[in-house]
Amino acid sequence: MSCTIDHLRVDLIATVRQEFTDARGVRHRAGESGLIRHLGVEWPRQEIVIEWERGGERERMYFPLSGKDGPGNGRMRMYFDVTEPPPPPPPPRPPRQAPPLPELAESPVTDPERYDEGFARMRALVARARWAEAEAQLQAILAGPDPGGCRLEHTAEQMVDVALAHAFDPNDAIYEWARDRAVHLWYAWGAQATSGGDGEARLPSIHAAEARLAACDAKRG
């Protein structure tokens, strides 16, 4: 059973401040350092036990529970400094790899009724970093009547998917462009609210989209 003795506890790095010899005759010199893995008392032997890990090996130090000299209860600060261990390294970033380029129809799609074709073309232009053409195609498929903003909402949601698909593209600008357009479209849809209540009802969808993008940002680092 592990415990706390003075300022010593499990999972701290202990560094010897001044030389001492433990109850087994093992000498420890100033500057020795290890990660405390166990700290406790062996009552039958009346000994304090500190187990620490140094260089991949575990060692135990023993001290008389009733000892008056050397490390012991109430005297550990004289013999050990402690520090928190360094945080674990962050997980490796996913490799940067562009998704396959979608097929591109060079002729603009100007009929809003051909929405799916137009969006596919816009997506292919985004993947090729052809921003001006992508923006023109986007505006073309959003033109015309849109009762309730259904088409705009659908486009905003799809644009988030486009951004996520390019999150780890070697060209950061592709993700950033799609991300910015997605956020812009969501807020444009929110601005179409016909009342305060309608605006409040739209906010959860906007915030959910922002949360998806924020989670992606965190993974990208």
Side-chain angles (χ1 to χ4, degrees), residues 96 98 127-129 131 166 168-176 220:
R96 291 293 185 105
R128 290 165 172 80
W131 315 127
H166 290 281
F168 301 102
D169 197 297
N171 184 356
D172 286 326
I174 295 177
Y175 170 75
E176 291 165 1
R220 294 178 78 239

Side-chain angles (χ1 to χ4, degrees), residues 25-38:
V26 178
R27 179 178 295 179
H28 293 275
R29 293 178 171 81
E32 290 184 8
S33 182
L35 179 64
I36 299 175
R37 292 300 193 181
H38 172 77

